[in-house]
Amino acid sequence: MELNNLAGRGSFTRDELARLIALEDPAERELLYAAAREVKARRCGLVTYYRGLIEFSNVCTKDCLYCGIRKSNHACARYELSREDVLAQARWIHGRGIGSLVLQSGERSDPKFVAFVEGLVRDIKALSGGRLGITLAAGEQTEETYARWFAAGAHRYLLRIESSSPALYAGLHPDDGKHRWDVRDRCLALLRRCGYQVGTGVMIGLPGQTPLDLADDLLYFRDRDVDMIGMGPYVVARGTPLGQAAIAAGGDAPEARARRLALGLNMVAACRLLLKDVNIASTTALQTLHPDGLMLGIRAGANVCMPSATPEDRRASYQLYDNKSGVDDSALSSLAAMNARVAAAGDAVALSDWGDSRHFFARAATGKSSS
Ligand code: 5AD
C-alpha cells in the first residue's frame, strides 16, 4: 500500500488498516498523521471542540479487571458529588464559554442513581437556558433509562465497547454474568434508537491484542455507524488484576508505554482516514503516556478534548489508571493547559459550539436508520 495518497482513499481493507496501525517507522507515521490531518481539515475543519468533564461519582458496580475504580479496589476512596457541587461545576463550564459538558461516572443502575442523573440533566439545561450541550457517560442502562435521560435533555452518550472482540472482552472482565459483551453492544443500538448521538471506543495496546484486532475495532465503529469515538491506550493501574499481570510481564516499562502511545496515535489517524467525519477525542490516556500526548492526538486527526472540570479534591479518587494526567490541576489550569496544547497542534478552539458530530447530521440527512 502506498503511504503517500492515504488522504485520497475512500476505503481500506482490514489488512491495510492493520498495517497502518502497526507502523513504527517515524517517517511513515508522520505520513499517516499528515494524511489524517488533511482528511480532518477537509471534512471537519482544523478545529477542536471542548467538552467540560465532570466525573460526578466513582461508585461502580462493575469489576473490570483493568480499571482503578473497579468495585473490588478497596483502596479507592468512593465519592458522590452533591447536586449543588455538580451544578457549580456546570455553571463554571458555562461561564467559561464552553458550549458542552460530559457527565461521567462509575456504572450504577439503581432507581436513586437514575433519578439523580435525570435531575442533573434537567437542572443543567435550566441553568444554561438550554445552551449547554450534555453528553452522558454512565454505562449500561435499560432502554427506559436511556429514554428518560434523553427526554431530560441529554443528546449524546458515550459507552465504550472496550474491545470489539468478544474473546478479548471476556479476558478483561470477570465471568460473573454482569459483564457481557453482547449486552454492551446492544446498549449502543438502544442509545441510537432513543435518538442520541452515539459514541464508543476501545482500549489500545491490551495484552494479547494484535493490530488485526485493532483494525477490527475500527471496522466495528464503521459497522455500528457511530458518531463519536473516545479511545485511548491502555495504562497500567497497579491496584488491579490486569495491572499486576502487566507489571510482571514488563508492560509498564518505558518501551512498552511508548509502543502503546504510538499504537494509540496510529489508531486515531487510521480512524480518521476510515470514518472521516466522526468526532474523535484526544484522550487523557494519551497525555498520561507522554507530556505532548494530547497535542499529538489532535495532530493525528482527533477533534475533541475534554478539559476536566471535576473538583480538585476529587480528582485523585477518579484514577482509572496510574499517574492520570491533570490530577493535581484545578479546572482553570486544566483549561489553560488544554488551550496551549490545542494551539501547539495548530487547531482553533471552538469554544461555545456544541460541536456535534457531522456524521450524525450526514446520516440524518440521508434518512438512513439503524436498529
Ligand atoms: N487504561 C486505560 N483506559 C482505562 N479505562 C479504564 N481503565 C483503564 C486503564 N487502565 C477506560 C475504559 C473506560 C473508561 C472510562 O476508561 O475504556 O470505559
Side-chain angles (χ1 to χ4, degrees), residues 198-214:
V198 179
T200 192
V202 294
M203 287 179 293
I204 301 159
L206 292 163
Q209 189 184 44
T210 66
L212 279 172
D213 289 321
L214 291 167

Side-chain angles (χ1 to χ4, degrees), residues 6-207:
L6 291 173
R9 297 268 309 260
S11 66
F12 295 86
T13 66
R14 178 178 186 244
D15 286 332
E16 286 172 338
L17 291 171
R19 158 134 198 260
L20 295 178
I21 292 162
L23 285 181
E24 286 180 11
D25 178 75
E28 292 187 333
R29 286 175 53 205
E30 279 312 312
L31 285 176
L32 171 63
Y33 303 156
R37 191 156 170 79
E38 197 180 320
V39 171
K40 171 175 149 181
R42 205 185 309 138
R43 300 296 294 271
C44 308
L46 292 180
V47 170
T48 293
Y49 297 105
Y50 279 7
R51 287 90 176 79
L53 173 64
I54 307 176
E55 292 148 329
F56 65 92
S57 170
N58 64 356
V59 175
C60 195
T61 57
K62 290 288 186 84
D63 222 6
C64 309
L65 302 176
Y66 46 84
C67 183
I69 67 168
R70 68 195 298 266
K71 181 179 159 197
S72 301
N73 184 4
H74 301 296
C76 173
R78 304 291 162 171
Y79 71 87
E80 295 171 70
L81 294 188
S82 67
R83 172 179 172 278
E84 289 68 32
D85 285 346
V86 177
L87 297 186
Q89 297 313 109
R91 257 183 228 107
W92 184 85
I93 290 168
H94 189 49
R96 306 310 304 181
I98 300 174
S100 188
L101 61 73
V102 181
L103 292 179
Q104 187 180 105
S105 70
E107 264 192 56
R108 278 171 59 183
S109 54
D110 53 280
K112 185 168 160 247
F113 178 79
V114 172
F116 180 67
V117 173
E118 184 182 24
L120 287 180
V121 172
R122 280 195 205 289
D123 290 347
I124 291 170
K125 278 287 166 193
L127 73 81
S128 66
R131 286 203 296 281
L132 270 175
I134 302 180
T135 304
L136 295 177
E140 294 165 26
Q141 305 290 343
T142 61
E143 183 167 14
E144 190 209 336
T145 297
Y146 287 146
R148 268 175 72 182
W149 291 348
F150 187 80
H155 79 296
R156 297 188 283 234
Y157 203 103
L158 299 170
L159 182 71
R160 290 188 178 187
I161 191 71
E162 312 299 357
S163 168
S164 66
S165 155
L168 274 177
Y169 188 92
L172 297 170
H173 299 93
D175 179 18
D176 59 0
K178 293 188 201 136
H179 298 74
R180 286 178 45 188
W181 187 92
D182 56 331
V183 171
R184 211 161 174 85
D185 179 53
R186 178 77 190 141
C187 281
L188 293 175
L190 299 180
L191 287 163
R192 168 62 54 70
R193 204 153 75 185
C194 289
Y196 288 94
Q197 293 176 38
V198 179
T200 192
V202 294
M203 287 179 293
I204 301 159
L206 292 163

